[in-house]
Amino acid sequence: NAGVTQTPKFQVLKTGQSMTLQCAQDMNHEYMSWYRQDPGMGLRLIHYSVGAGITDQGEVPNGYNVSRSTTEDFPLRLLSAAPSQTSVYFCASSYGSGGTYEQYFGPGTRLTVT
Amino acid sequence: SQQGEEDPQALSIQEGENATMNCSYKTSINNLQWYRQNSGRGLVHLILIRSNEREKHSGRLRVTLDTSKKSSSLLITASRAADTASYFCATDPNDYKLSFGAGTTVTVRA
């Protein structure tokens, strides 16, 4: 199994540009989530999904959209990039809801917005 | 806002020594998890302890949970250079969302 994969690994955007961060898992996990990690802040939940067709907001959803058309994929879209979105983004998946099961994390996408 | 806070923020120990870090949280939980993050990598799950458990072991790791004090500790015994990493606690204040603390950075000196 490849586990959780994320692309790209690195990305530089100009303010106002849009882009999609890709996340895929091959473990047939129902629960997927997106986090951002900033220095000294730990991980903050952006959006999560409990299954195909179902998404919900996390702690810091503004400026981001998600969709879940398949069990395997959970892309994160930045609508109009801002310097405050400079961060490392992690996708995670698990068998069930966030607290009860261990989360499997992808390797991350390092995003810089200039 | 973050549910959990780790203490200390940073820890430097000699190889072979034990490392202890603590996590305090604000609201009641069902489970508490600990994760490790090596520099520039994704997080790796270490251990999950349920609210009705007081202690759990996994290899050189020992986790305790005191729900009356809303705190947990992670002990790494006989540390190795490979244990150099950041360690995070994560709690589930509700069923669907996992809340992470800011982490403890552990450096193991040879």
Side-chain angles (χ1 to χ4, degrees), chain A residues 90-103:
Chain A
F90 290 99
C91 178
S93 73
S94 65
Y95 283 110
S97 62
T100 311
Y101 298 89
E102 71 173 274
Q103 300 290 305

Side-chain angles (χ1 to χ4, degrees), chain A residues 35-109:
Chain A
Y35 293 88
R36 59 178 289 173
Q37 184 176 32
D38 301 296
M41 295 287 291
L43 276 76
R44 291 184 290 169
L45 182 64
I46 305 172
H47 285 285
Y48 66 96
S49 169
V50 299
I54 307 169
T55 64
D56 205 347
Q57 296 181 351
E59 186 185 350
V60 287
N62 292 342
Y64 307 95
N65 270 1
V66 292
S67 60
R68 184 98 178 268
S69 56
T70 66
T71 299
E72 294 78 21
D73 300 299
F74 191 42
L76 177 72
R77 281 181 288 278
L78 278 71
L79 309 172
S80 176
S84 60
Q85 293 179 305
T86 293
S87 189
V88 182
Y89 291 85
F90 290 99
C91 178
S93 73
S94 65
Y95 283 110
S97 62
T100 311
Y101 298 89
E102 71 173 274
Q103 300 290 305
Y104 292 78
F105 281 83
T109 294

Side-chain angles (χ1 to χ4, degrees), chain A residues 31 35 37 40-45 48 50 56-59 90 97-108 110, chain B residues 1-2 30-33 35 37 40-45 48 50 88 91-92 94-103:
Chain A
Y31 185 90
Y35 293 88
Q37 184 176 32
M41 295 287 291
L43 276 76
R44 291 184 290 169
L45 182 64
Y48 66 96
V50 299
D56 205 347
Q57 296 181 351
E59 186 185 350
F90 290 99
S97 62
T100 311
Y101 298 89
E102 71 173 274
Q103 300 290 305
Y104 292 78
F105 281 83
R110 189 173 295 273
Chain B
S1 63
Q2 288 173 293
N30 296 312
N31 308 282
L32 186 144
Q33 302 183 38
Y35 287 82
Q37 184 181 36
R41 310 289 292 271
L43 278 72
V44 173
H45 180 264
L48 182 152
R50 306 193 188 284
F88 297 87
T91 56
D92 57 348
N94 68 48
D95 281 342
Y96 297 110
K97 300 179 183 179
L98 204 57
S99 179
F100 285 82

Side-chain angles (χ1 to χ4, degrees), chain B residues 18-21 60-64 73-77:
Chain B
N18 297 342
T20 300
M21 60 211 85
R60 294 183 296 112
L61 305 180
R62 172 179 168 253
V63 167
T64 63
S73 68
L74 171 66
L75 167 68
I76 305 172
T77 60

Side-chain angles (χ1 to χ4, degrees), chain B residues 1-96:
Chain B
S1 63
Q2 288 173 293
Q3 155 85 321
E5 287 186 12
E6 290 89 347
D7 172 67
Q9 287 187 327
L11 183 58
S12 180
I13 55 174
Q14 203 74 27
E15 205 165 20
E17 293 180 337
N18 297 342
T20 300
M21 60 211 85
N22 303 296
C23 169
S24 58
Y25 56 92
K26 297 172 187 170
T27 62
S28 62
I29 60 171
N30 296 312
N31 308 282
L32 186 144
Q33 302 183 38
W34 285 91
Y35 287 82
R36 183 187 74 232
Q37 184 181 36
N38 293 94
S39 180
R41 310 289 292 271
L43 278 72
V44 173
H45 180 264
L46 294 176
I47 201 162
L48 182 152
I49 186 166
R50 306 193 188 284
S51 60
N52 61 354
E53 296 176 311
R54 291 297 167 257
E55 188 170 312
K56 205 160 182 181
H57 296 256
S58 177
R60 294 183 296 112
L61 305 180
R62 172 179 168 253
V63 167
T64 63
L65 179 63
D66 187 336
T67 53
S68 66
K69 294 181 180 177
K70 293 188 171 58
S71 68
S72 173
S73 68
L74 171 66
L75 167 68
I76 305 172
T77 60
S79 62
R80 305 166 182 168
D83 295 327
T84 293
S86 293
Y87 293 82
F88 297 87
C89 69
T91 56
D92 57 348
N94 68 48
D95 281 342
Y96 297 110

